[in-house]
Amino acid sequence: MHHSRVRAAALAVACFAAGLAGAAHAQSADWSRQVTRIIASKQTYPPTAQMRGEEGTAKVKVYISAVGAIEKTELVGGSGSATLDREALALPRRAGNLPAPPGGPTTLTVPITWRLM
């Protein structure tokens, strides 16, 4: 399987899963979708997980400040793979600053899926 096909498949699944994310503290649905898309755009498939055939969905709670800075990430649902879970926790930080939440500081739970196709 070509690496680019695997990455495209993983990203496509992540973008689909982005529509399932919910926001706390009455944030707008548009803001939640935008932030989830930004985070999903940074997704990669860890080579060791790919070689082992590991797949799964991790749910990460992202704590976002009033100015859009990521304060911390917390795994709230494991994927079944320690490698994928570590990647899920690191992924939001690679997105850098996010758009400021319209309702002030908040959390957003983002599902991140890896699937080999």
Side-chain angles (χ1 to χ4, degrees), residues 26-113:
Q27 296 297 336
S28 77
D30 287 342
W31 177 85
S32 298
R33 281 191 295 272
Q34 180 184 14
V35 167
T36 303
R37 275 193 304 270
I38 290 168
I39 292 170
S41 75
K42 304 300 181 187
Q43 183 177 0
T44 61
Y45 216 122
T48 54
Q50 184 180 348
M51 287 187 299
R52 291 186 206 133
E54 296 174 351
E55 299 179 320
T57 299
K59 291 183 182 174
V60 176
K61 185 182 232 181
V62 183
Y63 293 78
I64 305 165
S65 76
V67 295
I70 296 173
E71 296 180 330
K72 71 176 184 171
T73 58
E74 175 184 336
L75 189 67
V76 294
S79 67
S81 161
T83 303
L84 295 178
D85 290 347
R86 279 191 304 275
E87 173 69 10
L89 287 169
L91 183 60
R93 294 193 184 279
R94 288 202 301 266
N97 276 349
L98 301 168
T106 193
T107 61
L108 180 67
T109 299
V110 180
I112 304 167
T113 298

